[in-house]
């Protein structure tokens, strides 16, 4: 009992002390009192190992330059105290400690001193003043309360905003008084940083009508019942989402509710009814007028989630450099942005499939009678790919808009006219010859900048993309060609994405189906196929199938071209063009490359051609090209140093302009300013792409990897999927054996080229998310997983441990010797072996000596 009374008295004393502190105008801790300063004279010449990192940091600093020990001292309190007390260096130092209170520990700074005879108090005072500027500042609640009350009453400003103003003006770092206040303050800070108009931060529920006015209550009650009855839940998502498929407009909704009420009932105006919903944009000025009575709003479904990538900042700097260079040579350049729109699904004959485009505006259809419907879009094989080319009107300043442009759309069949690097190159040449050429052959400006996303048909580190770029460079007689791309999962950065929403207008509320093939037997063959691969295999087996299938798709292509041509972008009509044939692609690519490679190109398969296989092509690359992970550039030789090609196709630019033209530099990180250097500092200098984060070989475990860690074993290996970025096969894990449906879903994922290292295999919300998994912590630079070679339920062909290729694997005396020494020797290809890489080995064989 006595102990409980003592504890009660203790708590009461603490309460009074805390109340006194909160009511005080002076902080309990101040720079004047809670600090100590001591001098540590010169010690032994040898520095203890525990102080080596501090010693190296101090050596690089001048005298009287303070160094914080926050990043050097031990984490454990007892060890930290002894570490500080026993500190000594082969030169004199001063140590300053500041006690923050509240269990935050001490802030400790040290700096080198001059010899005793040369020390001055004024130098120490200057150091202390410098430290004082960087110390955290705290204020009492009384000080904050007085500030907030003064301006809240007189100016009518919300306390949350005033707290943020207080922190900004005073540098106060005191914690919030409650978790609710911390949440509100965080929202306010984010809003003030991101919103265009900070005056709009008000509670939307404030204007919820007049409580005393009950005339409209019957209407509001009936409206609530109607929303509950008619709201639709999307059964294909884990969460429930409410939307309005039943009202064409606000006026239509008002009439529906009025028809359910007695004739003499009070009816609100259209504008007042609209303000009872939630605003579409809570940060706009009109958002303050919405009451939020009903959890309903007008919205367009957003399907694109902006996934992050470790190279996002690097590629953003690269794109900024590209825009700066384009503006600098605006009078001599064209810039295009290219991208493929999502595949438009096409149904079987008489079974139209919805395009899957969510409507921006509700369509006018009869309220009773036939419904606007289509088959579920999940069941189809046929599809069309609208490829978009955006011819940019380059502005004068890189900070101005790059969206003013002309749009060209080419609609192609996804099965027999798939997007690839060679097709894109030939179609780009055709488009530019029509839109940016004076003679119908060469471009009227000899510099071309191309920006794309990271799809496999635009991957700048793929051989096919490089060869297609060379063919385009030669066909248009360019002086310089620059191709840059976005980081994986960052396609929204591409300006061509802006045109996709315009094209959606022609696809919303549309269901499409192909025509029947003229030959009934071939029609039955097509219907029996379940994948793109199977259809292409059938076309090789049955003559005429491909031609008949293309004829059946032709009316749908014409229909989409007609609908796209009725659209306008920035006041300009969208231009539609038809795809080129395979013969045209082969003729243009080979005729262009023949200028460099000679007749040897005629016998080569360009899809598998490697640059090193042709000495002439390799020589052209060495002289004219700069290859990086996210860029590929081609430039003619300097004047006076022309090669055979440049003598045949001389420079078109004025000599002075060409002399100032250099390759697009790689973003270079400034370690001092902690950001990428501006364009002017690096342009014209030799740079590398070593500053990109993915160039560092590291494996990090994501939250998903930690959750699925038990699956990442050899017994759970089920299949593999290739990364479209690096080409390495990554292992697919599952707790159970794959069903036929899961195998087809995995095959479709591979066909549609959607997987990249570091991403999940299937999007969140689908039924296979979390069931079929891959290691999301792997980056493209990482080597193969060991479980690839040791799967129990699935066995894969051997591939190089370093690059993932299955070609030219080394089997020589060196690898045979390693197999004698180690139980496991991973495969290695000839290319990696020539670079100096060694086979990965494990489990050295134990040699037991015979007993004498």
């Amino acid at each position: 009992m006595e102990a409980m009374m003592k504890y009660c008295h203790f708590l009461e004393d603490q309460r009074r002390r805390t109340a006194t502190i909160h009511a005080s105008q002076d902080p309990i801790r101040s720079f004047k009192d809670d600090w100590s300063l001591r001098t540590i004279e010169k010690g032994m010449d040898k520095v203890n190992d525990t102080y080596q990192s501090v010693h190296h940091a101090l050596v690089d600093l001048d005298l009287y330059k303070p160094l914080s020990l926050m990043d050097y001292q031990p984490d454990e309190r007892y060890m930290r105290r002894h570490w500080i007390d026993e500190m000594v260096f082969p030169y004199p130092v001063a140590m300053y400690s500041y006690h923050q209170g509240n269990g935050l520990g001490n802030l400790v700074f040290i700096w080198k001193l001059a010899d005793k005879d040369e020390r001055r108090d004024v130098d120490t005072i200057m150091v202390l003043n410098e430290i004082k500027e960087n110390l955290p500042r705290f204020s009492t609640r009384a000080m904050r309360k007085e500030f907030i009350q003064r301006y809240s009453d007189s100016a009518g400003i919300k306390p949350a905003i005033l707290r943020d103003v207080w922190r900004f003006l005073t540098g106060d770092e005191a914690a919030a008084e409650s978790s609710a206040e911390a949440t509100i303050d965080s929202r306010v800070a984010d809003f003030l940083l991101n919103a265009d108009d900070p005056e709009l931060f008000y509670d939307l529920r404030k204007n919820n009508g007049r409580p005393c006015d009950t005339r409209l209550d019957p209407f509001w009650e009936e409206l609530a019942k109607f929303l509950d009855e008619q709201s639709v839940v999307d059964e294909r998502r884990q969460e429930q989402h409410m939307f309005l498929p039943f009202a064409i407009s606000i006026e239509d909704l008002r009439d529906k509710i009025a028809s359910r009420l007695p004739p003499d009932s009070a009816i609100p105006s259209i504008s007042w009814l609209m303000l009872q919903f939630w605003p579409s944009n809570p940060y706009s000025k009109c958002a303050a007028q919405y009451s939020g009575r009903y959890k309903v709003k007008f919205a367009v479904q957003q399907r694109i989630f902006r996934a992050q990538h470790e190279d996002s900042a690097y590629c953003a700097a690269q794109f900024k450099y590209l825009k700066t260079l384009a503006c600098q040579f605006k009078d001599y350049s064209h810039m295009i942005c290219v991208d493929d729109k999502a595949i438009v699904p096409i149904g079987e004959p008489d079974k139209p499939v919805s395009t899957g485009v969510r409507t921006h505006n509700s369509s006018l259809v009869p309220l009773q009678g036939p419904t606007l419907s289509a088959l579920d879009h999940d069941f189809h094989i046929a599809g069309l790919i609208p490829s978009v080319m955006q011819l940019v009107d380059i502005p004068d300043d890189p900070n101005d808009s790059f969206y003013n442009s002309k749009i060209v759309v080419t609609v192609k069949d996804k099965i027999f006219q798939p997007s690839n690097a060679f097709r894109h190159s030939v179609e780009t040449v055709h488009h530019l010859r029509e839109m940016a050429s004076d003679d119908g052959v060469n471009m009227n400006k000899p510099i071309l900048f191309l920006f794309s996303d990271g799809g496999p048909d635009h991957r700048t580190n793929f051989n096919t993309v490089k060869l297609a770029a060379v063919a385009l460079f030669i066909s248009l007689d360019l002086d310089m060609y620059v191709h840059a791309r976005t980081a994986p999962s960052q396609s929204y950065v591409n300006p061509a994405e802006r045109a996709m929403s315009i094209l959606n207008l022609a696809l919303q509320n549309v269901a499409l189906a192909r025509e029947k093939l003229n030959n009934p037997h071939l029609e039955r063959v097509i219907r029996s196929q379940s994948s793109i691969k199977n259809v292409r295999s059938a076309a090789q087996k049955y003559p005429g199938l491909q031609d008949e299938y293309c004829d059946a798709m032709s009316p749908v292509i014409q229909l989409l071209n007609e609908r796209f041509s009725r659209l306008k972008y920035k006041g300009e009509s969208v231009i539609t063009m038809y795809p080129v044939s395979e013969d045209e692609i082969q003729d243009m690519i080979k005729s262009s490359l023949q200028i460099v490679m000679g007749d040897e190109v005629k016998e080569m398969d360009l899809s598998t051609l490697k640059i090193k296989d042709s000495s002439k092509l390799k020589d052209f690359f060495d002289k004219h090209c700069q290859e990086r992970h996210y860029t590929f550039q081609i430039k003619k030789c300097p004047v006076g140093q022309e090669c055979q090609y440049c003598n045949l196709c001389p420079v078109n630019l004025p000599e002075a302009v060409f002399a100032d033209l250099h390759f697009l530099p790689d973003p270079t990180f400034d370690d001092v300013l902690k950001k990428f250097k501006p364009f002017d500092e690096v342009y014209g200098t030799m740079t590398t792409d070593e500053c990109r984060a993915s160039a560092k070989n590291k494996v990090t475990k994501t939250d998903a990897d930690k959750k699925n860690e038990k699956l990442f074993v050899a017994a759970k290996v089920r299949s593999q999927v290739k990364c479209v970025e690096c080409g390495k096969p990554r292992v697919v894990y599952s707790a159970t054996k794959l069903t036929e449906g899961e195998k087809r879903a995995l095959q479709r994922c591979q066909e549609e080229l959607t997987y990249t290292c570091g991403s999940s295999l299937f999007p969140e919300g689908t039924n296979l998310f979390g069931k079929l998994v891959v290691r999301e912590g792997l980056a493209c630079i990482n080597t193969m997983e060991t479980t690839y070679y040791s799967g129990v339920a699935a066995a894969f062909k051997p591939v190089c441990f370093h690059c993932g290729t299955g070609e030219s694997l080394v089997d020589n005396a060196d690898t045979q010797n390693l197999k004698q020494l180690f139980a496991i020797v991973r495969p290695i290809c000839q290319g990696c072996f020539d670079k100096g890489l060694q086979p990965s080995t494990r489990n050295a064989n134990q040699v037991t000596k015979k007993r004498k």
Side-chain angles (χ1 to χ4, degrees):
M1 190 66 174
E2 183 179 353
M4 293 297 295
M5 290 298 296
K6 287 183 178 180
Y7 186 61
C8 289
H9 291 317
F10 168 76
L11 293 178
E12 181 63 23
D13 292 341
Q14 287 295 108
R15 186 193 66 78
R16 291 197 194 97
R17 182 172 178 272
T18 302
T20 302
I21 293 173
H22 288 174
S24 174
Q25 291 287 344
D26 298 320
I28 189 66
R29 300 287 177 185
S30 70
F31 185 77
K32 298 178 181 179
D33 303 321
D34 299 287
W35 61 275
S36 64
L37 178 66
R38 68 186 179 99
T39 300
I40 303 175
E41 296 296 345
K42 177 180 178 181
M44 298 178 61
D45 292 338
K46 185 177 180 181
V47 180
N48 191 297
D49 292 341
T50 58
Y51 304 110
Q52 283 292 341
S53 57
V54 181
H55 170 64
H56 291 314
L58 285 172
V59 167
D60 296 334
L61 295 177
D62 297 331
L63 296 178
Y64 296 99
K65 287 294 183 181
L67 172 70
S68 173
L69 298 183
M70 179 69 70
D71 298 329
Y72 302 95
Q73 60 192 10
D75 295 330
E76 202 275 324
R77 183 175 60 179
Y78 177 81
M79 294 178 61
R80 181 168 63 246
R81 184 176 63 192
H82 283 273
W83 185 79
I84 292 175
D85 292 342
E86 297 173 4
M87 184 176 292
V88 65
F89 297 99
Y91 39 81
V93 297
M95 178 180 292
Y96 170 83
S97 298
Y98 174 69
H99 184 57
Q100 303 179 86
N102 275 347
L104 297 177
N106 294 346
L107 294 177
V108 183
F109 299 85
I110 64 172
W111 59 89
K112 292 190 296 186
L113 294 173
D115 294 334
K116 286 186 178 182
D117 299 338
E118 300 177 0
R119 295 177 192 172
R120 300 183 305 165
D121 292 340
V122 65
D123 293 328
T124 301
I125 294 174
M126 292 177 63
V127 175
L128 295 178
N129 287 334
E130 181 180 348
I131 293 174
K132 180 181 177 181
E133 291 298 323
N134 296 318
L135 288 178
R137 302 178 184 180
F138 302 96
S139 60
T140 66
R141 296 189 184 186
M143 296 165 64
R144 277 202 314 275
K145 186 176 181 181
E146 181 183 359
F147 173 83
I148 291 171
Q149 285 181 345
R150 174 181 296 181
Y151 295 102
S152 178
D153 296 339
S154 60
I157 303 176
K158 297 291 181 181
I161 297 179
L162 289 174
R163 285 196 298 270
D164 188 82
V165 172
W166 171 263
R167 293 189 181 94
F168 177 76
L169 294 176
T170 64
D172 180 30
E173 299 183 34
E177 298 181 18
S178 64
S179 59
E181 181 179 298
T183 302
I184 294 173
D185 290 349
S186 175
R187 289 172 51 202
V188 170
D190 292 342
F191 179 81
L192 293 177
L193 287 173
N194 300 321
D196 294 331
D197 191 350
E199 296 181 359
L200 304 180
F201 193 82
Y202 293 101
D203 191 339
L204 302 179
R205 296 169 296 179
K206 180 176 84 171
N207 301 316
N208 205 4
R210 297 181 180 179
C212 58
D213 192 349
T214 60
R215 288 180 300 166
L216 295 176
D217 285 353
F219 184 90
W220 303 135
E221 293 171 1
E222 192 64 33
L223 176 58
K225 293 178 183 178
F226 178 76
L227 294 177
D228 288 338
E229 294 169 3
Q230 301 295 328
S231 62
V232 178
V233 174
D234 190 342
E235 73 281 358
R236 303 181 65 186
R237 300 291 183 263
Q238 296 178 353
E239 299 177 356
Q240 294 185 352
H241 301 277
M242 189 178 194
F243 53 96
L244 288 173
F246 40 81
I248 298 175
S249 64
I250 291 290
E251 185 176 5
D252 175 58
L253 176 63
R254 187 184 67 168
D255 293 342
K256 281 181 176 291
I257 304 303
S259 65
R260 297 164 59 129
L261 295 172
D264 56 348
S265 300
I267 306 298
S269 65
I270 293 176
S271 59
W272 183 239
L273 174 57
M274 182 176 63
L275 292 175
Q276 305 310 306
F277 300 144
W278 279 80
S280 299
N281 181 7
Y283 301 119
S284 63
K285 184 169 291 188
C286 64
Q289 308 302 322
Y290 283 78
S291 70
R293 179 192 292 265
Y294 303 104
K295 302 301 185 288
V296 178
K297 70 176 182 178
F298 292 100
V300 176
Q301 183 181 30
Q302 298 182 1
R303 291 184 167 190
I304 300 177
F305 178 77
R306 295 188 173 185
Q308 293 301 311
H309 189 271
E310 56 187 345
D311 289 338
S312 298
Y314 178 89
C315 290
Q318 185 81 78
F319 187 34
K320 188 173 182 180
Y321 286 3
L322 179 73
K323 292 191 289 186
T324 304
L325 185 61
C327 293
Q328 185 172 325
F329 290 91
K330 173 185 176 181
D331 295 336
Y332 308 96
S333 306
H334 284 298
M335 179 176 179
I336 60 175
C337 300
V338 295
D339 194 12
D340 280 354
K341 184 169 172 51
I343 295 174
V344 180
I346 307 297
E348 297 300 306
D350 301 323
K351 297 178 181 178
V353 171
S354 170
T355 58
V357 175
R358 289 340 190 227
T359 59
H360 290 256
N361 299 288
S362 300
S363 301
L364 295 174
V365 296
L367 292 179
Q368 280 129 17
T371 58
L372 192 62
S373 59
L375 288 178
D376 191 307
H377 64 277
D378 285 348
F379 306 100
H380 67 277
I381 297 176
L384 296 176
I385 306 173
S387 293
V388 176
M389 189 195 83
Q390 183 179 25
L391 182 59
V392 178
D393 182 8
I394 302 175
D396 296 326
D397 190 277
N399 295 319
D400 291 341
S401 174
F402 277 72
Y403 293 106
N404 295 322
S405 56
K406 294 181 179 179
I407 299 297
V408 181
V409 181
T410 306
V411 182
K412 301 169 288 192
D413 170 49
K414 77 171 185 179
I415 297 179
F416 295 114
Q417 297 171 334
S419 291
N420 57 52
F422 296 130
R423 177 175 292 279
H424 280 303
S425 179
V426 175
E427 290 176 350
T428 299
V429 169
H430 281 211
H431 300 342
L432 291 176
R433 282 176 174 172
E434 289 199 18
M435 303 173 64
S437 174
D438 296 331
D439 57 7
V441 179
N442 302 322
M443 277 212 322
N444 50 24
K445 296 180 180 181
I447 303 175
L448 178 63
F449 298 97
L450 187 149
F451 190 70
S452 68
D453 63 2
D457 43 349
H458 295 298
R459 192 87 61 195
T460 52
N461 51 348
F462 281 11
N463 278 336
T464 53
V465 175
K466 296 174 186 177
L467 291 174
V470 172
L472 184 148
F473 178 83
I474 295 173
S475 298
L476 296 175
D477 190 21
L478 299 174
D479 288 350
M480 182 171 174
Y481 170 78
V482 180
H483 181 179
R485 65 183 179 95
T486 67
S489 304
Q490 305 285 296
S491 61
Y492 59 85
V493 177
N494 189 355
E497 285 286 340
R498 181 69 65 90
M500 303 307 175
S501 59
I502 303 298
L503 300 184
N504 281 342
L505 296 176
L507 298 175
Q508 63 183 14
N509 289 328
V510 172
L512 301 170
R514 66 174 176 85
E515 300 287 336
K516 285 185 179 181
L517 274 62
N518 293 328
N519 188 323
H521 173 64
L522 295 180
E523 176 65 30
R524 289 193 296 271
V525 171
I526 283 289
R527 287 176 179 266
S528 65
Q529 308 307 316
S530 60
S531 67
I532 298 175
K533 182 179 179 181
N534 292 342
V535 174
R536 291 172 181 166
S537 298
Q540 295 178 354
K541 183 177 180 181
Y542 297 97
L545 187 147
Q546 179 174 342
D547 293 337
E548 290 221 16
Y549 181 85
C550 291
D551 291 341
M553 293 292 291
S554 181
V556 189
I557 295 177
Q558 293 177 5
L559 174 64
L560 285 188
N561 280 336
E562 188 272 333
R563 291 182 68 86
F564 286 147
S565 63
R566 288 154 54 186
L567 302 175
K568 289 184 180 293
Y569 179 82
K570 301 290 184 179
E572 297 278 350
S573 296
V574 172
I575 302 171
T576 58
M577 294 190 179
Y578 286 91
V580 295
S581 65
E582 284 296 328
D583 291 338
E584 290 179 283
I585 295 174
Q586 292 296 321
D587 290 344
M588 198 209 85
I589 296 295
K590 289 194 173 183
S591 61
S592 300
L593 294 179
Q594 188 175 6
I595 298 176
V596 174
M597 301 173 60
D599 292 337
E600 64 180 5
V601 71
K602 295 180 179 179
E603 307 300 326
M604 290 184 172
D605 182 2
L606 297 180
S607 62
T608 59
L609 174 63
K610 295 183 178 179
I611 297 169
K612 64 180 181 180
D613 293 342
S614 169
S615 58
K616 295 180 180 179
L617 186 62
K618 186 176 183 302
D619 182 63
F620 181 88
F621 270 70
D622 292 340
K623 291 180 179 179
H624 297 276
C625 302
Q626 178 174 288
E627 305 173 55
R628 297 290 188 266
H629 192 73
Y630 288 108
T631 59
F632 179 71
Q633 305 179 66
I634 313 173
K635 182 173 175 285
K636 288 182 179 177
C637 296
V639 177
Q641 304 177 27
E642 292 87 348
C643 63
Q644 181 179 356
Y645 170 76
C646 294
N647 282 323
L648 180 65
C649 304
V651 172
N652 299 294
L653 286 170
E655 186 173 340
V657 176
F658 189 76
D660 292 336
L661 182 63
H662 305 287
F663 280 128
L664 179 71
D666 305 292
T668 305
F669 197 74
D670 192 324
D671 294 325
V672 177
L673 300 178
K674 302 300 180 184
K675 63 180 182 179
F676 289 102
K677 294 181 180 179
F679 174 82
D680 295 337
E681 289 187 19
V682 294
Y683 181 64
T685 63
M686 295 296 295
T687 59
T688 64
D689 63 348
E690 61 184 10
C691 291
R692 60 185 174 89
S694 60
K696 302 170 184 176
N697 191 3
K698 60 183 186 300
V699 179
T700 57
K701 282 189 178 181
T702 64
D703 292 339
D705 287 349
K706 294 175 182 177
K707 179 181 178 182
N708 299 318
E709 193 165 8
K710 293 183 179 179
L711 292 178
F712 299 147
V713 295
K716 304 299 182 183
V717 173
R718 305 300 177 185
S719 186
Q720 60 167 314
V721 60
K722 271 194 175 183
C723 169
V724 298
E725 175 78 13
C726 63
K728 292 189 181 77
R730 296 305 188 189
V731 178
V732 178
Y733 303 87
S734 177
T736 58
K737 183 180 178 181
L738 300 186
T739 64
E740 290 301 320
E742 291 169 347
K743 291 179 181 178
R744 287 195 298 270
L746 194 59
Q747 182 182 5
R748 187 172 299 178
C749 175
Q750 188 67 74
E751 288 177 348
E752 295 178 357
L753 303 172
T754 58
Y755 172 73
T756 59
C757 292
S759 65
S760 60
L761 193 56
F762 294 99
E764 186 173 0
T766 58
N767 58 347
L768 293 181
F769 177 78
K771 190 172 183 181
L772 274 64
V773 299
V774 293
R775 291 183 187 268
E776 296 182 18
L778 290 174
C780 289
I781 197 170
N782 297 133
T783 56
M784 295 291 297
E785 301 165 79
T786 57
T787 49
Y788 177 89
Y789 306 96
S790 58
V792 176
F796 311 125
K797 71 173 185 178
V799 296
C800 175
F801 183 74
H802 298 284
C803 67
T805 182
E807 301 176 1
S808 306
L809 297 181
V810 175
D811 186 14
N812 53 22
D814 293 336
T815 58
Q816 292 299 327
N817 291 336
L818 288 174
K819 290 178 181 179
Q820 297 294 326
L821 300 175
F822 296 91
I824 297 176
V825 179
R826 304 297 184 197
I828 186 172
C829 68
Q830 189 65 48
C832 292
F833 192 77
D834 294 340
K835 293 178 183 177
L837 299 176
Q838 296 298 317
S840 175
T841 58
R842 285 187 63 188
N843 301 348
N845 292 327
Q846 300 294 326
V847 180
T848 306
K849 295 183 179 180
K850 294 183 179 180
R851 294 182 179 178
K852 294 181 180 180

